Amino acid sequence: MSDQPKEKKFVLGGSIEKAMAGDFELSPVSVLQEAWQNTIKHFFTFSPAILLLTSSYMAVFFVALQIQLGDPAVLFHAFLGETELTTKISYAAFVAGLSAQVIISPLTAGASLMGMSHAAGFKCRTNYIFKGLASAGMVALVTILSEVLQGLVNIYLPMVALYLSMAFGFAVLLVCEKKIPPLKALLYSFKATNKKLTSMLLIHVVIMLALVFGIALYGVGLIVVMPFIFNVKGIIYRNMFGVTLKVMVKDDKGNSDHPNQDVNNDIFNA
């Protein structure tokens, strides 16, 4: 008679302790190559999720502009130099961007979790984009803290704001995957990033170039670039902090199999 399946957990990659000590590998070439392979491999499941994420962001952004300015086109006329870029318009754009980031943050978390899952060797269905809803409150809070801090710094030091965007980039995954409180997640992400700052900067330079390329193709290129970015983030997170895997093991006369395994059952239900 076989025993009941037993749950076993192990961590793939790094750990919080290793991340804080800088004890992890982060080769820009290896990370980018693996991310590209994952992007191609999971393109037809990940790209629809990214389209949903992007369209949701744009919808919230335009609604927020409509509420504040009456006509969203005012912002674009100002950017094109056709009208004056007033303080009111700049503030409206900031509020609209922040509102969009916060409201869709669970979907952004879901995309990040999909990239993390790919980095752990698992396939994801497109509807996994909604997995971030399980931690929606904490995800929204960490997003608000990160975006407000970046916004304040951007007023005086735009380059430092870009650096903070990179340094805080793994806080959402720490909140979702390891259940770390928002402030501590921001701190862990910041410290770990600085342990491998040169490699992180090189990787993000490539990401920025990819974004420019994607936008230059009338935005169509973002269908590939955005999944690539989330896959990069998932690989870096795995190497830095590790991914907790759950394996259901069934023993039967000394034989073991694993009929059910997935990434952290609190996030992904096997």
Side-chain angles (χ1 to χ4, degrees):
M1 183 175 179
S2 62
D3 297 330
Q4 292 293 322
K6 297 178 181 179
E7 178 180 307
K8 292 186 178 180
K9 293 182 179 181
F10 63 95
V11 177
L12 175 67
S15 66
I16 290 178
E17 292 75 18
K18 290 181 178 180
M20 295 301 96
D23 183 21
F24 58 90
E25 293 294 326
L26 196 63
S27 165
V29 174
S30 297
V31 169
L32 295 170
Q33 285 180 340
E34 185 180 351
W36 179 249
Q37 291 168 359
N38 286 346
T39 301
I40 299 301
K41 182 178 180 180
H42 302 286
F43 178 78
F44 291 106
T45 54
F46 207 176
S47 290
I50 295 299
L51 285 173
L52 175 62
L53 174 66
T54 305
S55 59
S56 298
Y57 178 91
M58 296 304 296
V60 176
F61 183 79
F62 282 120
V63 168
L65 282 181
Q66 179 74 33
I67 292 172
Q68 296 178 90
L69 300 176
D71 181 8
V74 171
L75 175 63
F76 300 99
H77 290 315
F79 277 131
L80 291 173
E82 297 174 2
T83 58
E84 181 183 358
L85 182 61
T86 63
T87 302
K88 178 182 178 180
I89 295 174
S90 298
Y91 179 77
F94 172 75
V95 172
L98 178 61
S99 300
Q101 288 282 9
V102 173
I103 291 173
I104 72 156
S105 60
L107 296 182
T108 305
S112 298
L113 290 169
M114 290 177 75
M116 182 194 73
S117 181
H118 297 157
F122 294 98
K123 295 180 180 179
C124 291
R125 297 184 298 273
T126 299
N127 63 1
Y128 276 31
I129 190 72
F130 298 109
K131 290 296 181 178
L133 292 172
S135 305
M138 290 297 98
V139 166
L141 180 56
V142 78
T143 300
I144 291 172
L145 292 172
S146 176
E147 293 296 324
V148 169
L149 181 56
Q150 291 174 52
L152 293 174
V153 172
N154 188 58
I155 297 173
Y156 304 103
L157 300 167
M159 294 305 296
V160 176
L162 284 174
Y163 159 73
L164 290 178
S165 177
M166 175 186 72
F168 293 152
F170 306 98
V172 166
L173 278 172
L174 285 168
V175 166
C176 292
E177 197 263 337
K178 299 197 185 303
K179 309 303 180 187
I180 303 295
L183 282 174
K184 187 174 289 187
L186 289 169
L187 180 61
Y188 283 168
S189 180
F190 180 84
K191 286 185 174 180
T193 297
N194 282 283
K195 294 296 181 179
K196 301 287 183 180
L197 185 57
T198 301
S199 294
M200 288 290 290
L201 286 172
L202 289 173
I203 291 170
H204 279 76
V205 166
V206 174
I207 287 175
M208 292 300 294
L209 292 174
L211 277 172
V212 171
F213 178 74
I215 294 170
L217 294 176
Y218 301 98
V220 177
L222 295 177
I223 297 174
V224 175
V225 173
M226 293 302 293
F228 173 71
I229 292 173
F230 281 107
N231 282 323
V232 167
K233 182 180 291 188
I235 293 165
I236 297 174
Y237 179 85
R238 178 200 65 198
N239 292 356
M240 276 185 174
F241 298 103
V243 178
T244 303
L245 305 180
K246 184 191 76 171
V247 180
M248 299 303 294
V249 181
K250 182 177 180 181
D251 296 319
D252 188 5
K253 295 182 180 180
N255 297 321
S256 297
D257 54 31
H258 42 86
N260 217 356
Q261 58 180 335
D262 213 330
V263 179
N264 196 333
N265 197 42
D266 290 332
I267 301 171
F268 296 113
N269 294 318

